[in-house]
Structure formats: structure tokens, C-alpha cells
Amino acid sequence: MSQTALSTRSQDWPQQVKRPGNHDWERTATHWLRDLLPARYAGYATLTRSPVLLARHAQLQVQHEMRAVRVALETGRAQLPSLGVTEGVIETSIRMYAAELQQLSRLARAIRVVGEALASGAARAR
């Protein structure tokens, strides 16, 4: 079984995206990926016309968000008190950022498997 076939059977595959082989699956993948990016990227035809490039950019975007959340986690206890943030709010924010990091990790895995499937389809089309 190919790597792509394995990845599309993965638990990481997003529910919003049809599986490869289903009618219109690439359109659902493109729509899902586009929705993950800030709205300003919708105007870039280069991204919206190339699902593989879109998947790559979505992966980079999520990696950037993960770095930002890690910085917030690592610096919150040291920096927030000087900004007047109470201990209770700091602890709540730490839990929020930890949960967000887990969610972003799941999202990154989903983007990876969709991107692999899109790249596999593009390679076959060449």
C-alpha cells in the first residue's frame, strides 16, 4: 500500500475533506485549507489555484502559530505580572495556550496528510 493510501486512512484525515478517489475531493481539500489561512490570503490566485502550494503555506502558517503559542507559554509567568495580569488569569491563559498547542499539533498533522495526498495526485498528473 502506498504512503498516500496509508495517510488518507489515518485518524489525522480531517472530516471536512473528502477522501481521495471521491468526486470533488480536491475541491473540498482546497476549501478546507483556504479556510485555515487568514482571510487576506484568499486574494492570492497563486495560492488558490495550486492546492499543493496552498497546503504548504497552510503548514507554514500553523508552524508559525505553534511557535507563537510556545513563546506565550514560555514567557507568560515572567512577563504578564508586570502588565498587571492577575495570577488567576495567568494560570487560565497557560491552560488555554497548552490546549491550543495540542489543537494546532492535530491540525498540522491533518494538513500534512492532505498535502501529501494532493502532492501525490499532482505527481501522477505529470
Side-chain angles (χ1 to χ4, degrees), residues 65-82:
E65 289 180 44
M66 290 172 75
R67 282 191 299 274
V69 169
R70 284 187 186 108
V71 168
L73 272 168
E74 293 166 2
T75 62
R77 285 194 175 92
Q79 293 179 352
L80 292 176
S82 67

Side-chain angles (χ1 to χ4, degrees), residues 19-68:
R19 303 275 178 163
N22 287 309
H23 172 72
D24 224 14
W25 87 268
E26 289 172 326
R27 185 191 60 74
T28 64
T30 299
H31 182 77
W32 178 74
L33 289 164
R34 193 175 49 234
D35 284 350
L36 297 176
L37 297 178
R40 68 182 177 275
Y41 285 101
Y44 292 107
T46 301
L47 285 176
T48 58
R49 291 183 187 147
S50 174
V52 173
L53 180 60
L54 183 62
R56 178 182 177 271
H57 191 80
Q59 190 71 50
L60 292 170
Q61 185 75 31
V62 168
Q63 289 170 356
H64 175 72
E65 289 180 44
M66 290 172 75
R67 282 191 299 274

